Amino acid sequence: DVKVTQSSRYLVKRTGEKVFLECVQDMDHENMFWYRQDPGLGLRLIYFSYDVKMKEKGDIPEGYSVSREKKERFSLILESASTNQTSMYLCASTPLSLEHGYTFGSGTRLTVV
Amino acid sequence: GENVEQHPSTLSVQEGDSAVIKCTYSDSASNYFPWYKQELGKGPQLIIDIRSNVGEKKDQRIAVTLNKTAKHFSLHITETQPEDSAVYFCAASNFGNQFYFGTGTSLTVIP
């Protein structure tokens, strides 16, 4: 069964901490994405990557960075966590063509206190 | 860029009734429209999709219709069951870099 795995289901971090959210896919997909999900706002794209070491900003990249050193792994980094980054974070992947939709991970619920 | 609007934001139906969720999109170049179901505590899962060369697609109790002229598409769930309760997202893409999502519909099926 193919899947996207997010390393943590729940995280609680303090304001100002550097936070790493990890995502691994086993489908040899080229594209990987990070979204945040907030009530009433739906899914908003933070960053995506279409190849190793490549990254593109999404709609809300401020306060975030990403790293893709290997094809299967895409990391989201909160450089200095703030309370307004409390959210559900979803990782997704697709083949290069996007023809079959995203495969999502189960999400990481991050609380910044 | 693309703008996808989704209505209603919440929907309650009696078990056995039908549920309809509607989405509109702005970019006429969009040609692929997936629907996702997100159950509590899980990531969204693709349940059905439609491409712009097709007007309707059905899979058991769920169906999706597409009106390219009006730029809207809809999800229809018939004979609803309590396990259909979830948040549903529509999305649109022109097979470019990403999908654009609606804001979600929370469906509750009342037994």
Side-chain angles (χ1 to χ4, degrees):
Chain A
D1 191 20
V2 294
K3 56 183 175 183
V4 176
T5 303
Q6 294 184 232
S7 54
S8 304
R9 292 296 303 274
Y10 300 94
L11 275 178
V12 180
K13 297 291 182 181
R14 295 195 178 278
T15 302
E17 276 194 78
K18 191 169 186 176
V19 181
F20 294 85
L21 303 183
E22 305 289 345
C23 176
V24 177
Q25 51 97 1
D26 64 1
M27 296 165 283
D28 201 35
H29 284 172
E30 286 79 11
N31 296 321
M32 296 188 75
F33 304 81
W34 275 106
Y35 284 84
R36 64 176 283 176
Q37 181 178 15
D38 300 288
L41 298 177
L43 280 70
R44 293 181 291 166
L45 182 63
I46 305 171
Y47 268 97
F48 66 97
S49 168
Y50 53 87
D51 200 355
V52 175
K53 296 193 186 296
M54 305 302 290
K55 61 183 179 183
E56 296 282 346
K57 292 180 180 179
D59 300 318
I60 51 165
E62 296 78 19
Y64 303 95
S65 62
V66 289
S67 171
R68 190 152 181 216
E69 296 296 319
K70 293 185 178 181
K71 189 175 185 180
E72 66 270 20
R73 185 180 296 271
F74 192 35
S75 303
L76 179 69
I77 304 156
L78 286 66
E79 297 290 343
S80 177
S82 63
T83 54
N84 63 11
Q85 292 179 308
T86 292
S87 186
M88 168 70 88
Y89 289 88
L90 290 165
C91 176
S93 72
T94 72
L96 195 61
S97 68
L98 268 68
E99 282 190 9
H100 301 287
Y102 287 152
T103 301
F104 280 96
S106 297
T108 296
R109 182 160 295 282
L110 173 67
T111 302
V112 182
V113 297
Chain B
E2 173 69 280
N3 181 44
V4 177
E5 295 191 358
Q6 182 172 347
H7 299 281
S9 56
T10 60
L11 179 60
S12 291
V13 299
Q14 291 291 139
E15 182 176 357
D17 287 351
S18 295
V20 180
I21 302 169
K22 298 182 179 181
C23 290
T24 60
Y25 62 99
S26 60
D27 186 355
S28 56
S30 288
N31 53 13
Y32 176 63
F33 307 92
W35 285 89
Y36 291 86
K37 175 183 181 182
Q38 185 178 25
E39 296 174 332
L40 201 61
K42 297 183 179 179
Q45 284 204 304
L46 180 68
I47 56 171
I48 195 167
D49 56 14
I50 191 167
R51 286 170 170 75
S52 60
N53 57 347
V54 174
E56 183 173 0
K57 184 176 178 180
K58 212 172 177 182
D59 182 5
Q60 299 182 352
R61 294 187 297 107
I62 60 173
V64 57
T65 59
L66 171 65
N67 183 326
K68 284 172 54 180
T69 304
K71 295 204 199 78
H72 66 71
F73 57 112
S74 300
L75 178 71
H76 305 253
I77 306 173
T78 58
E79 300 172 21
T80 53
Q81 300 167 4
E83 52 264 39
D84 295 328
S85 296
V87 177
Y88 292 82
F89 290 97
C90 62
S93 170
N94 61 2
F95 295 138
N97 289 328
Q98 60 171 294
F99 291 95
Y100 297 88
F101 287 87
T103 50
T105 296
S106 178
L107 172 65
T108 302
V109 179
I110 304 163

Tab-separated table of all heavy atoms in Angstrom, chain A residues 9 33 35 37 40-43 45 48 58-59 88 90 94 96-102 104-107, chain B residues 32 34 36 38 40-46 49 51 87 89 93 95-104:
chain	number	residue	atom	x	y	z
A	9	ARG	N	2.132	12.954	14.631
A	9	ARG	CA	0.712	13.291	14.540
A	9	ARG	C	0.392	14.556	15.318
A	9	ARG	O	-0.423	15.352	14.890
A	9	ARG	CB	-0.152	12.136	15.078
A	9	ARG	CG	-0.128	10.889	14.237
A	9	ARG	CD	-0.734	11.135	12.859
A	9	ARG	NE	-2.091	11.637	12.911
A	9	ARG	CZ	-3.163	10.861	12.990
A	9	ARG	NH1	-3.046	9.565	13.038
A	9	ARG	NH2	-4.380	11.390	13.004
A	33	PHE	N	4.446	18.479	-1.573
A	33	PHE	CA	3.790	19.723	-1.198
A	33	PHE	C	3.607	19.784	0.317
A	33	PHE	O	3.405	18.754	0.963
A	33	PHE	CB	2.386	19.802	-1.823
A	33	PHE	CG	2.349	19.653	-3.315
A	33	PHE	CD1	2.400	18.401	-3.901
A	33	PHE	CD2	2.255	20.762	-4.133
A	33	PHE	CE1	2.370	18.239	-5.280
A	33	PHE	CE2	2.216	20.625	-5.510
A	33	PHE	CZ	2.278	19.366	-6.079
A	35	TYR	N	0.988	21.847	2.908
A	35	TYR	CA	-0.176	22.698	3.098
A	35	TYR	C	-0.405	22.890	4.593
A	35	TYR	O	-0.055	22.036	5.411
A	35	TYR	CB	-1.438	22.035	2.527
A	35	TYR	CG	-1.566	22.075	1.030
A	35	TYR	CD1	-0.940	21.119	0.230
A	35	TYR	CD2	-2.326	23.062	0.411
A	35	TYR	CE1	-1.073	21.161	-1.149
A	35	TYR	CE2	-2.464	23.107	-0.967
A	35	TYR	CZ	-1.835	22.151	-1.734
A	35	TYR	OH	-1.970	22.191	-3.103
A	37	GLN	N	-3.814	23.636	7.092
A	37	GLN	CA	-5.267	23.565	7.050
A	37	GLN	C	-5.829	24.253	8.281
A	37	GLN	O	-5.522	23.868	9.414
A	37	GLN	CB	-5.733	22.108	7.015
A	37	GLN	CG	-7.233	21.960	6.950
A	37	GLN	CD	-7.670	20.509	6.873
A	37	GLN	OE1	-6.909	19.589	7.128
A	37	GLN	NE2	-8.923	20.298	6.512
A	40	GLY	N	-12.306	27.118	8.057
A	40	GLY	CA	-12.830	28.225	7.263
A	40	GLY	C	-11.910	28.718	6.170
A	40	GLY	O	-12.327	29.499	5.317
A	41	LEU	N	-10.673	28.278	6.184
A	41	LEU	CA	-9.698	28.731	5.179
A	41	LEU	C	-9.299	27.617	4.223
A	41	LEU	O	-8.605	27.864	3.232
A	41	LEU	CB	-8.455	29.303	5.853
A	41	LEU	CG	-8.679	30.530	6.736
A	41	LEU	CD1	-7.373	30.952	7.397
A	41	LEU	CD2	-9.248	31.688	5.916
A	42	GLY	N	-9.687	26.399	4.529
A	42	GLY	CA	-9.345	25.288	3.650
A	42	GLY	C	-7.866	24.953	3.701
A	42	GLY	O	-7.204	25.105	4.721
A	43	LEU	N	-7.348	24.512	2.563
A	43	LEU	CA	-5.946	24.118	2.451
A	43	LEU	C	-5.179	25.214	1.726
A	43	LEU	O	-5.539	25.589	0.606
A	43	LEU	CB	-5.822	22.815	1.659
A	43	LEU	CG	-6.102	21.508	2.402
A	43	LEU	CD1	-7.569	21.361	2.726
A	43	LEU	CD2	-5.629	20.329	1.575
A	45	LEU	N	-1.392	26.443	0.348
A	45	LEU	CA	-0.098	25.906	-0.032
A	45	LEU	C	1.027	26.752	0.533
A	45	LEU	O	1.082	27.963	0.318
A	45	LEU	CB	0.001	25.838	-1.557
A	45	LEU	CG	1.284	25.261	-2.129
A	45	LEU	CD1	1.448	23.797	-1.725
A	45	LEU	CD2	1.289	25.384	-3.652
A	48	PHE	N	6.192	23.956	-2.337
A	48	PHE	CA	6.216	22.684	-3.027
A	48	PHE	C	7.571	22.475	-3.690
A	48	PHE	O	8.364	23.411	-3.834
A	48	PHE	CB	5.055	22.546	-4.024
A	48	PHE	CG	5.096	23.495	-5.184
A	48	PHE	CD1	5.613	23.113	-6.410
A	48	PHE	CD2	4.569	24.781	-5.064
A	48	PHE	CE1	5.618	23.975	-7.490
A	48	PHE	CE2	4.579	25.656	-6.144
A	48	PHE	CZ	5.108	25.258	-7.359
A	58	GLY	N	4.674	28.724	-2.226
A	58	GLY	CA	3.249	28.659	-2.467
A	58	GLY	C	2.606	29.983	-2.134
A	58	GLY	O	3.199	31.050	-2.337
A	59	ASP	N	1.405	29.916	-1.576
A	59	ASP	CA	0.654	31.137	-1.300
A	59	ASP	C	1.026	31.798	0.027
A	59	ASP	O	0.858	32.999	0.194
A	59	ASP	CB	-0.852	30.820	-1.301
A	59	ASP	CG	-1.304	30.282	-2.638
A	59	ASP	OD1	-0.853	30.827	-3.675
A	59	ASP	OD2	-2.091	29.322	-2.670
A	88	MET	N	-2.991	22.582	11.478
A	88	MET	CA	-2.788	21.234	10.957
A	88	MET	C	-1.936	21.369	9.700
A	88	MET	O	-2.269	22.165	8.805
A	88	MET	CB	-4.122	20.586	10.614
A	88	MET	CG	-4.003	19.300	9.811
A	88	MET	SD	-3.332	17.944	10.768
A	88	MET	CE	-4.849	17.294	11.454
A	90	LEU	N	-0.333	19.440	6.413
A	90	LEU	CA	-0.517	18.275	5.559
A	90	LEU	C	0.554	18.235	4.484
A	90	LEU	O	0.804	19.230	3.806
A	90	LEU	CB	-1.891	18.319	4.880
A	90	LEU	CG	-3.102	18.093	5.783
A	90	LEU	CD1	-4.372	18.525	5.071
A	90	LEU	CD2	-3.208	16.640	6.184
A	94	THR	N	2.642	13.839	-5.592
A	94	THR	CA	2.048	13.398	-6.857
A	94	THR	C	3.179	13.046	-7.818
A	94	THR	O	4.295	13.531	-7.675
A	94	THR	CB	1.203	14.478	-7.547
A	94	THR	OG1	2.076	15.485	-8.083
A	94	THR	CG2	0.217	15.134	-6.620
A	96	LEU	N	4.862	13.538	-11.554
A	96	LEU	CA	5.150	14.804	-12.226
A	96	LEU	C	3.932	15.377	-12.929
A	96	LEU	O	3.719	16.584	-12.956
A	96	LEU	CB	6.287	14.594	-13.224
A	96	LEU	CG	6.962	15.848	-13.757
A	96	LEU	CD1	7.594	16.638	-12.621
A	96	LEU	CD2	8.030	15.485	-14.786
A	97	SER	N	3.073	14.529	-13.462
A	97	SER	CA	1.979	14.989	-14.301
A	97	SER	C	0.761	15.483	-13.542
A	97	SER	O	-0.123	16.073	-14.127
A	97	SER	CB	1.538	13.862	-15.232
A	97	SER	OG	0.930	12.836	-14.463
A	98	LEU	N	0.630	15.239	-12.285
A	98	LEU	CA	-0.528	15.604	-11.460
A	98	LEU	C	-1.834	14.978	-11.954
A	98	LEU	O	-2.915	15.402	-11.549
A	98	LEU	CB	-0.730	17.135	-11.435
A	98	LEU	CG	-0.069	17.928	-10.318
A	98	LEU	CD1	1.425	17.913	-10.447
A	98	LEU	CD2	-0.579	19.346	-10.299
A	99	GLU	N	-1.739	13.971	-12.785
A	99	GLU	CA	-2.955	13.461	-13.418
A	99	GLU	C	-3.849	12.645	-12.505
A	99	GLU	O	-4.987	12.350	-12.861
A	99	GLU	CB	-2.570	12.599	-14.625
A	99	GLU	CG	-2.191	13.411	-15.834
A	99	GLU	CD	-2.047	12.555	-17.065
A	99	GLU	OE1	-2.403	11.360	-17.010
A	99	GLU	OE2	-1.576	13.078	-18.081
A	100	HIS	N	-3.360	12.236	-11.363
A	100	HIS	CA	-4.156	11.372	-10.507
A	100	HIS	C	-4.354	11.956	-9.114
A	100	HIS	O	-4.631	11.240	-8.173
A	100	HIS	CB	-3.519	9.980	-10.421
A	100	HIS	CG	-3.401	9.327	-11.743
A	100	HIS	ND1	-4.507	8.822	-12.417
A	100	HIS	CD2	-2.344	9.117	-12.557
A	100	HIS	CE1	-4.114	8.324	-13.572
A	100	HIS	NE2	-2.808	8.491	-13.682
A	101	GLY	N	-4.211	13.243	-8.988
A	101	GLY	CA	-4.487	13.864	-7.707
A	101	GLY	C	-3.374	13.657	-6.703
A	101	GLY	O	-2.389	12.969	-6.955
A	102	TYR	N	-3.552	14.283	-5.554
A	102	TYR	CA	-2.576	14.160	-4.489
A	102	TYR	C	-2.780	12.876	-3.701
A	102	TYR	O	-3.897	12.398	-3.550
A	102	TYR	CB	-2.768	15.291	-3.478
A	102	TYR	CG	-2.342	16.673	-3.886
A	102	TYR	CD1	-2.975	17.787	-3.337
A	102	TYR	CD2	-1.330	16.896	-4.784
A	102	TYR	CE1	-2.601	19.070	-3.679
A	102	TYR	CE2	-0.948	18.188	-5.141
A	102	TYR	CZ	-1.590	19.260	-4.578
A	102	TYR	OH	-1.222	20.527	-4.924
A	104	PHE	N	-2.172	12.288	0.203
A	104	PHE	CA	-1.884	13.062	1.405
A	104	PHE	C	-1.372	12.175	2.528
A	104	PHE	O	-1.735	10.991	2.625
A	104	PHE	CB	-3.153	13.752	1.921
A	104	PHE	CG	-3.529	15.007	1.190
A	104	PHE	CD1	-4.454	14.969	0.167
A	104	PHE	CD2	-2.966	16.224	1.536
A	104	PHE	CE1	-4.818	16.134	-0.511
A	104	PHE	CE2	-3.319	17.395	0.875
A	104	PHE	CZ	-4.240	17.343	-0.149
A	105	GLY	N	-0.565	12.768	3.398
A	105	GLY	CA	-0.254	12.144	4.675
A	105	GLY	C	-1.402	12.361	5.644
A	105	GLY	O	-2.397	13.017	5.321
A	106	SER	N	-1.251	11.837	6.846
A	106	SER	CA	-2.316	11.922	7.853
A	106	SER	C	-2.332	13.256	8.587
A	106	SER	O	-3.275	13.538	9.331
A	106	SER	CB	-2.171	10.800	8.880
A	106	SER	OG	-2.328	9.549	8.249
A	107	GLY	N	-1.303	14.049	8.383
A	107	GLY	CA	-1.283	15.371	8.994
A	107	GLY	C	-0.515	15.418	10.304
A	107	GLY	O	-0.397	14.417	11.018
B	32	TYR	N	-8.947	19.478	-14.680
B	32	TYR	CA	-8.990	18.291	-13.846
B	32	TYR	C	-9.545	18.687	-12.487
B	32	TYR	O	-9.080	19.654	-11.890
B	32	TYR	CB	-7.591	17.681	-13.708
B	32	TYR	CG	-7.517	16.497	-12.778
B	32	TYR	CD1	-8.210	15.322	-13.056
B	32	TYR	CD2	-6.760	16.557	-11.617
B	32	TYR	CE1	-8.149	14.240	-12.200
B	32	TYR	CE2	-6.691	15.476	-10.758
B	32	TYR	CZ	-7.389	14.319	-11.060
B	32	TYR	OH	-7.329	13.244	-10.212
B	34	PRO	N	-10.607	17.006	-8.898
B	34	PRO	CA	-10.745	15.918	-7.928
B	34	PRO	C	-11.562	16.335	-6.717
B	34	PRO	O	-11.652	17.521	-6.392
B	34	PRO	CB	-9.291	15.643	-7.529
B	34	PRO	CG	-8.605	16.952	-7.679
B	34	PRO	CD	-9.322	17.711	-8.771
B	36	TYR	N	-11.996	15.313	-2.535
B	36	TYR	CA	-11.339	14.629	-1.435
B	36	TYR	C	-12.284	14.536	-0.242
B	36	TYR	O	-13.061	15.450	0.026
B	36	TYR	CB	-10.070	15.371	-1.011
B	36	TYR	CG	-8.978	15.294	-2.037
B	36	TYR	CD1	-8.913	16.203	-3.088
B	36	TYR	CD2	-8.003	14.305	-1.964
B	36	TYR	CE1	-7.918	16.129	-4.040
B	36	TYR	CE2	-6.996	14.226	-2.917
B	36	TYR	CZ	-6.963	15.142	-3.943
B	36	TYR	OH	-5.976	15.052	-4.887
B	38	GLN	N	-12.151	13.955	3.912
B	38	GLN	CA	-11.268	13.944	5.059
B	38	GLN	C	-12.045	13.539	6.305
B	38	GLN	O	-12.902	14.291	6.774
B	38	GLN	CB	-10.607	15.312	5.269
B	38	GLN	CG	-9.575	15.304	6.381
B	38	GLN	CD	-8.899	16.655	6.553
B	38	GLN	OE1	-9.451	17.698	6.204
B	38	GLN	NE2	-7.678	16.647	7.056
B	40	LEU	N	-12.195	12.481	10.380
B	40	LEU	CA	-11.605	13.086	11.573
B	40	LEU	C	-10.247	12.459	11.880
B	40	LEU	O	-10.114	11.235	11.949
B	40	LEU	CB	-12.562	12.898	12.743
B	40	LEU	CG	-12.391	13.854	13.917
B	40	LEU	CD1	-12.621	15.293	13.463
B	40	LEU	CD2	-13.357	13.493	15.044
B	41	GLY	N	-9.239	13.301	12.019
B	41	GLY	CA	-7.916	12.816	12.396
B	41	GLY	C	-7.105	12.205	11.271
B	41	GLY	O	-6.038	11.634	11.509
B	42	LYS	N	-7.618	12.323	10.054
B	42	LYS	CA	-6.907	11.732	8.909
B	42	LYS	C	-6.634	12.793	7.845
B	42	LYS	O	-7.235	13.865	7.848
B	42	LYS	CB	-7.734	10.596	8.305
B	42	LYS	CG	-7.972	9.435	9.249
B	42	LYS	CD	-8.732	8.325	8.549
B	42	LYS	CE	-8.958	7.144	9.479
B	42	LYS	NZ	-9.716	6.059	8.808
B	43	GLY	N	-5.732	12.452	6.922
B	43	GLY	CA	-5.515	13.325	5.789
B	43	GLY	C	-6.589	13.125	4.733
B	43	GLY	O	-7.279	12.100	4.720
B	44	PRO	N	-6.776	14.082	3.838
B	44	PRO	CA	-7.782	13.940	2.773
B	44	PRO	C	-7.454	12.773	1.852
B	44	PRO	O	-6.281	12.497	1.579
B	44	PRO	CB	-7.670	15.270	2.012
B	44	PRO	CG	-7.029	16.220	2.971
B	44	PRO	CD	-6.111	15.387	3.805
B	45	GLN	N	-8.505	12.104	1.396
B	45	GLN	CA	-8.334	10.989	0.450
B	45	GLN	C	-9.162	11.256	-0.788
B	45	GLN	O	-10.315	11.662	-0.704
B	45	GLN	CB	-8.796	9.689	1.102
B	45	GLN	CG	-7.800	9.128	2.114
B	45	GLN	CD	-7.976	7.643	2.299
B	45	GLN	OE1	-9.076	7.205	2.621
B	45	GLN	NE2	-6.935	6.874	2.088
B	46	LEU	N	-8.571	10.979	-1.932
B	46	LEU	CA	-9.264	11.153	-3.207
B	46	LEU	C	-10.417	10.156	-3.306
B	46	LEU	O	-10.240	8.959	-3.087
B	46	LEU	CB	-8.282	10.910	-4.356
B	46	LEU	CG	-8.829	11.040	-5.774
B	46	LEU	CD1	-9.180	12.488	-6.084
B	46	LEU	CD2	-7.805	10.523	-6.786
B	49	ASP	N	-12.808	11.819	-9.286
B	49	ASP	CA	-12.283	12.944	-10.046
B	49	ASP	C	-12.942	12.972	-11.421
B	49	ASP	O	-13.549	11.996	-11.863
B	49	ASP	CB	-10.762	12.891	-10.164
B	49	ASP	CG	-10.253	11.586	-10.784
B	49	ASP	OD1	-11.054	10.832	-11.371
B	49	ASP	OD2	-9.041	11.323	-10.683
B	51	ARG	N	-12.369	14.789	-15.515
B	51	ARG	CA	-11.585	15.595	-16.430
B	51	ARG	C	-12.512	16.402	-17.323
B	51	ARG	O	-13.683	16.050	-17.495
B	51	ARG	CB	-10.661	14.705	-17.254
B	51	ARG	CG	-9.493	14.202	-16.430
B	51	ARG	CD	-8.671	13.140	-17.118
B	51	ARG	NE	-7.435	12.850	-16.400
B	51	ARG	CZ	-7.348	12.163	-15.282
B	51	ARG	NH1	-8.431	11.670	-14.734
B	51	ARG	NH2	-6.175	11.955	-14.716
B	87	VAL	N	-15.389	15.859	6.142
B	87	VAL	CA	-15.206	17.123	5.424
B	87	VAL	C	-14.818	16.796	3.983
B	87	VAL	O	-13.941	15.956	3.745
B	87	VAL	CB	-14.115	17.997	6.080
B	87	VAL	CG1	-13.906	19.274	5.276
B	87	VAL	CG2	-14.500	18.338	7.518
B	89	PHE	N	-13.575	18.247	0.206
B	89	PHE	CA	-12.909	19.344	-0.495
B	89	PHE	C	-12.978	19.110	-1.995
B	89	PHE	O	-12.713	18.007	-2.473
B	89	PHE	CB	-11.423	19.412	-0.111
B	89	PHE	CG	-11.164	19.855	1.294
B	89	PHE	CD1	-10.943	18.923	2.290
B	89	PHE	CD2	-11.108	21.199	1.614
B	89	PHE	CE1	-10.694	19.316	3.590
B	89	PHE	CE2	-10.858	21.613	2.907
B	89	PHE	CZ	-10.648	20.664	3.902
B	93	SER	N	-7.348	21.961	-11.229
B	93	SER	CA	-5.965	22.032	-11.698
B	93	SER	C	-5.952	22.085	-13.219
B	93	SER	O	-6.832	21.529	-13.880
B	93	SER	CB	-5.190	20.797	-11.232
B	93	SER	OG	-3.918	20.735	-11.856
B	95	PHE	N	-3.161	20.932	-14.553
B	95	PHE	CA	-1.973	20.094	-14.632
B	95	PHE	C	-0.692	20.933	-14.630
B	95	PHE	O	0.311	20.544	-15.184
B	95	PHE	CB	-1.993	19.169	-15.858
B	95	PHE	CG	-3.086	18.149	-15.809
B	95	PHE	CD1	-3.825	17.854	-16.944
B	95	PHE	CD2	-3.394	17.486	-14.640
B	95	PHE	CE1	-4.849	16.921	-16.903
B	95	PHE	CE2	-4.419	16.551	-14.584
B	95	PHE	CZ	-5.152	16.277	-15.736
B	96	GLY	N	-0.813	22.088	-13.997
B	96	GLY	CA	0.380	22.912	-13.801
B	96	GLY	C	1.118	22.464	-12.561
B	96	GLY	O	1.337	21.279	-12.344
B	97	ASN	N	1.446	23.390	-11.697
B	97	ASN	CA	2.259	23.072	-10.540
B	97	ASN	C	1.494	22.558	-9.338
B	97	ASN	O	2.071	21.958	-8.444
B	97	ASN	CB	3.043	24.303	-10.104
B	97	ASN	CG	4.140	24.646	-11.085
B	97	ASN	OD1	4.718	23.763	-11.710
B	97	ASN	ND2	4.391	25.932	-11.236
B	98	GLN	N	0.212	22.836	-9.256
B	98	GLN	CA	-0.478	22.542	-8.018
B	98	GLN	C	-1.975	22.425	-8.264
B	98	GLN	O	-2.485	22.716	-9.343
B	98	GLN	CB	-0.236	23.670	-7.005
B	98	GLN	CG	-0.724	25.023	-7.476
B	98	GLN	CD	-0.673	26.061	-6.365
B	98	GLN	OE1	-1.387	25.946	-5.394
B	98	GLN	NE2	0.164	27.078	-6.538
B	99	PHE	N	-2.680	21.988	-7.205
B	99	PHE	CA	-4.130	22.025	-7.181
B	99	PHE	C	-4.589	23.219	-6.346
B	99	PHE	O	-3.911	23.631	-5.418
B	99	PHE	CB	-4.677	20.744	-6.544
B	99	PHE	CG	-4.472	19.528	-7.381
B	99	PHE	CD1	-3.378	18.707	-7.186
B	99	PHE	CD2	-5.371	19.209	-8.378
B	99	PHE	CE1	-3.182	17.580	-7.967
B	99	PHE	CE2	-5.185	18.091	-9.165
B	99	PHE	CZ	-4.086	17.273	-8.961
B	100	TYR	N	-5.754	23.724	-6.674
B	100	TYR	CA	-6.362	24.804	-5.914
B	100	TYR	C	-7.624	24.243	-5.264
B	100	TYR	O	-8.465	23.652	-5.945
B	100	TYR	CB	-6.702	25.980	-6.829
B	100	TYR	CG	-5.476	26.591	-7.449
B	100	TYR	CD1	-4.967	26.106	-8.653
B	100	TYR	CD2	-4.802	27.635	-6.826
B	100	TYR	CE1	-3.827	26.652	-9.216
B	100	TYR	CE2	-3.663	28.197	-7.390
B	100	TYR	CZ	-3.179	27.686	-8.587
B	100	TYR	OH	-2.052	28.230	-9.144
B	101	PHE	N	-7.725	24.450	-3.950
B	101	PHE	CA	-8.782	23.805	-3.174
B	101	PHE	C	-9.892	24.774	-2.794
B	101	PHE	O	-9.647	25.966	-2.568
B	101	PHE	CB	-8.202	23.210	-1.890
B	101	PHE	CG	-7.381	21.980	-2.118
B	101	PHE	CD1	-6.032	22.074	-2.406
B	101	PHE	CD2	-7.966	20.725	-2.049
B	101	PHE	CE1	-5.272	20.934	-2.629
B	101	PHE	CE2	-7.215	19.582	-2.266
B	101	PHE	CZ	-5.867	19.685	-2.557
B	102	GLY	N	-11.102	24.240	-2.677
B	102	GLY	CA	-12.170	24.949	-2.021
B	102	GLY	C	-11.951	24.931	-0.518
B	102	GLY	O	-11.036	24.265	-0.021
B	103	THR	N	-12.818	25.630	0.205
B	103	THR	CA	-12.634	25.774	1.653
B	103	THR	C	-13.255	24.638	2.456
B	103	THR	O	-13.146	24.624	3.678
B	103	THR	CB	-13.208	27.108	2.137
B	103	THR	OG1	-14.538	27.250	1.630
B	103	THR	CG2	-12.359	28.277	1.658
B	104	GLY	N	-13.884	23.693	1.783
B	104	GLY	CA	-14.369	22.501	2.483
B	104	GLY	C	-15.828	22.571	2.880
B	104	GLY	O	-16.367	23.654	3.126
